[in-house]
Amino acid sequence: VSVMTENHGRSVAYVYGATSNKMRGILEIGNIVSVTWQAKSMDQMGNFTLELEKSHAADVMTDAVKLTALQSACVLADKTIPESEKHPGLYSSMCALLSSFADDFIWPASYIFWEMGLLRELGFGLDLSRCVSTGTTENLLYVSPKSGCAVSASAGEIYKERLLQLPP
């Protein structure tokens, strides 16, 4: 099982009885759990003992779009955050994102800001505030995959095949 913690970053450990009916509801993606880790030495994988605190998966189970966003955020965090590397800001923003799913109006923007924060935290920040070429803030249509910055329609016209579309 992989968990994201505030003080120890992303951690992986074995969970005894993970396939049991008792653990099924606890091991859902996006759940908030209390974690106890133990191993014979720091070099070993170790095992987790988990207790459910809040089940976010159960809250979004009836909404396919929210459930997809929850799964996406958890998989992105699991696949991109290096193990045992502390990212307290990402932990806090993930908690805020999970809580935002309760509000149908706020959660889409929260997801976008969380993903941008993840990129920034990992060293791939985006600057979508102005055109990287001209400095204008008007008519931004593209994103440069090389710089991660916005590009205006006029500046990006000749390079539009190599640029990414900026969503409205």
Side-chain angles (χ1 to χ4, degrees):
V1 170
S2 177
V3 297
M4 182 178 185
T5 67
E6 184 174 20
N7 298 321
H8 302 288
R10 189 178 64 80
S11 299
V12 178
Y14 184 80
V15 175
Y16 290 105
T19 59
S20 71
N21 287 337
K22 178 186 172 200
M23 293 300 291
R24 184 175 299 166
I26 295 173
L27 294 176
E28 293 291 334
I29 195 165
N31 281 351
I32 304 293
V33 293
S34 292
V35 178
T36 304
W37 177 85
Q38 69 181 78
K40 290 183 180 181
S41 74
M42 293 299 288
D43 298 335
Q44 290 183 328
M45 181 179 192
N47 65 300
F48 286 146
T49 303
L50 305 172
E51 287 186 38
L52 182 64
E53 288 188 8
K54 172 74 174 131
S55 177
H56 289 285
D59 293 344
V60 300
M61 198 65 70
T62 59
D63 187 329
V65 178
K66 285 183 185 179
L67 183 58
T68 302
L70 172 67
Q71 290 175 323
S72 174
C74 291
V75 169
L76 282 172
D78 186 50
K79 298 297 182 192
T80 60
I81 300 171
E83 191 173 345
S84 301
E85 191 173 289
K86 295 180 184 180
H87 291 280
L90 278 178
Y91 176 83
S92 298
S93 65
M94 177 64 90
C95 290
L97 172 64
L98 293 173
S99 296
S100 77
F101 285 119
D103 188 326
D104 290 339
F105 183 72
I106 292 176
W107 80 262
S110 294
Y111 179 84
I112 291 168
F113 285 117
W114 177 84
E115 213 173 85
M116 288 176 63
L118 174 68
L119 289 170
R120 186 174 26 263
E121 185 79 15
L122 297 174
F124 302 101
L126 298 175
D127 180 6
L128 306 178
S129 61
R130 60 184 176 80
C131 176
V132 69
S133 297
T134 64
T136 184
T137 59
E138 302 295 320
N139 207 14
L140 303 175
L141 293 183
Y142 307 105
V143 177
S144 167
K146 189 173 185 177
S147 69
C149 298
V151 180
S152 67
S154 59
E157 183 61 34
I158 58 174
Y159 303 106
K160 67 181 177 183
E161 300 84 33
R162 292 184 256 166
L163 299 173
L164 304 171
Q165 285 288 113
L166 181 62

